[in-house]
Amino acid sequence: MLLPLVLLLCAPVQAEQYKGFARGHALITAAELNSMLDTDGPQPTVLAAVGRASWLLEHIPGALHTPRKRYMNRDGMTVDRDRFQAFARDLGIDNDTTVVIYDEANDAAHLWWLFRRYGKADVRVLDGGLDAWKDAGYNIERGPGRSVGKTGNFSAAPPLSGWTAAMADIEQGHADAATRVWDARSLAEWDGSRSIGGLPTGRIDGAQHLGWKDFRKASAGRPSEFRSAAELDTLLTQAGIKPEHDHIFYCHSGVRAATPLFALYLMGFPEEKLHLYDGSWIEWSQRAAGDGEQLQ
């Protein structure tokens, strides 16, 4: 009779899901990252998706700078498979490399989305970004940082089906009761009182507003830190977001829209129901203006 009790006591206890998220493994804490870096074995590649001024001022030791221009085209679209593979290899990333990304606002979730788009699953976002790292008392570096030292062997897979939405998907969604289109921009962009880059003001017809900052602790000065699953569950319930619907997210260029997509992924929503409109308002507004379409 003792054996079952011994086995029960010795069985591993499942760790509590981080912040209550069904897929909390996609986030990493500063303490976890520090522990991974402080080993003699294979270490993760840490990517700083921040602006150049921020990078030069301070960054996590050993991190590599990854500004948007390295993985986005001038038209706001992300690079194709071959260019992304070259981008990852230039960072020394192999097929079995663990990648950790941090930002100072909203770029980490977008770069995470892009890695998953091309088949890289072992990618995590540092919850709280550099602020969390510094708050934990860990060292920082200043200046241009280190060189990569080697070329990686990462092989990009064909783009993940459905992970990216196109104009046609938006248009089809207008007639599909099971599809929701969400605008992740600011309220000023949503209501047309603000324009970015000289583009026409307005929003996609039928889209609902769901600002990216609502998913993070931006109001508390922590834009790189995600709210808990309980907090997001309340937000999603109020917005009427359900797992059985298809959800298409857009913003100005697709960067901010990745935050609500990533949040729904953390919450356990079916991956095949989550779509990012890569062209976003840059593409939609220019097409609509050229066609003489009335913008909302």
Side-chain angles (χ1 to χ4, degrees):
M1 295 295 294
L2 290 176
L3 184 58
L5 179 59
V6 171
L7 291 175
L8 178 63
L9 292 175
C10 294
V13 178
Q14 184 176 5
E16 183 179 353
Q17 294 166 320
Y18 180 62
K19 285 189 172 180
F21 289 121
R23 296 192 184 105
H25 60 272
L27 290 171
I28 186 172
T29 66
E32 288 178 289
L33 176 58
N34 182 67
S35 179
M36 293 174 70
L37 293 172
D38 192 25
T39 62
D40 295 328
Q43 296 191 348
T45 294
V46 181
L47 305 181
V50 300
R52 179 165 177 76
S54 175
W55 164 258
L56 293 174
L57 180 63
E58 52 186 3
H59 54 263
I60 293 175
L64 301 173
H65 188 213
T66 52
R68 291 181 191 176
K69 65 181 181 180
R70 296 190 62 183
Y71 53 86
M72 294 183 71
N73 295 314
R74 288 187 176 182
D75 61 2
M77 302 286 283
T78 51
V79 297
D80 61 20
R81 178 184 178 186
D82 289 341
R83 285 186 58 192
F84 184 78
Q85 178 173 282
F87 159 76
R89 288 183 175 185
D90 286 346
L91 293 169
I93 294 173
D94 296 328
N95 288 320
D96 61 353
T97 300
T98 296
V99 177
V100 175
I101 310 168
Y102 75 89
D103 62 23
E104 56 192 347
N106 45 45
D107 288 83
H110 182 243
L111 190 49
W112 168 89
W113 168 84
L114 190 54
F115 269 105
R116 287 196 62 82
R117 181 186 183 189
Y118 291 118
K120 184 67 174 166
D122 193 7
V123 181
R124 306 174 72 182
V125 172
L126 176 60
D127 193 29
L130 187 63
D131 286 337
W133 180 266
K134 293 191 298 182
D135 287 349
Y138 302 130
N139 293 332
I140 60 169
E141 285 183 343
R142 293 183 172 86
R146 68 178 179 89
S147 59
V148 175
K150 76 177 185 72
T151 300
N153 63 19
F154 171 67
S155 295
L160 185 64
S161 178
W163 202 229
T164 304
M167 272 188 171
D169 299 304
I170 300 287
E171 292 165 345
Q172 183 178 349
H174 287 161
D176 184 0
T179 299
R180 303 288 187 272
V181 180
W182 302 98
D183 188 323
R185 299 176 299 168
S186 67
L187 276 172
E189 293 167 271
W190 158 258
D191 65 21
S193 60
R194 182 189 180 197
S195 172
I196 295 180
L199 294 179
T201 59
R203 57 181 181 267
I204 293 177
D205 184 26
Q208 302 175 66
H209 184 256
L210 192 67
W212 72 273
K213 290 184 178 181
D214 293 337
F215 294 86
R216 305 210 190 184
K217 295 186 176 181
S219 59
R222 307 278 292 196
S224 294
E225 183 175 348
F226 281 84
R227 299 189 182 279
S228 69
E231 291 173 301
L232 294 189
D233 184 62
T234 299
L235 172 66
L236 299 181
T237 299
Q238 292 174 344
I241 297 181
K242 300 179 180 179
E244 62 266 27
H245 293 150
D246 279 279
H247 300 282
I248 301 176
F249 300 94
Y250 80 94
C251 56
H252 179 74
S253 63
V255 175
R256 288 173 287 176
T259 285
L261 184 149
F262 181 62
L264 266 59
Y265 176 86
L266 291 173
M267 295 290 288
F269 276 53
E271 195 167 357
E272 66 273 12
K273 296 290 187 180
L274 306 177
H275 320 281
L276 189 145
Y277 177 23
D278 193 17
S280 277
W281 187 244
I282 291 178
E283 181 182 63
W284 185 272
S285 64
Q286 292 177 337
R287 194 290 302 267
D291 292 348
E293 180 180 327
Q294 183 67 36
L295 297 174
Q296 280 197 346

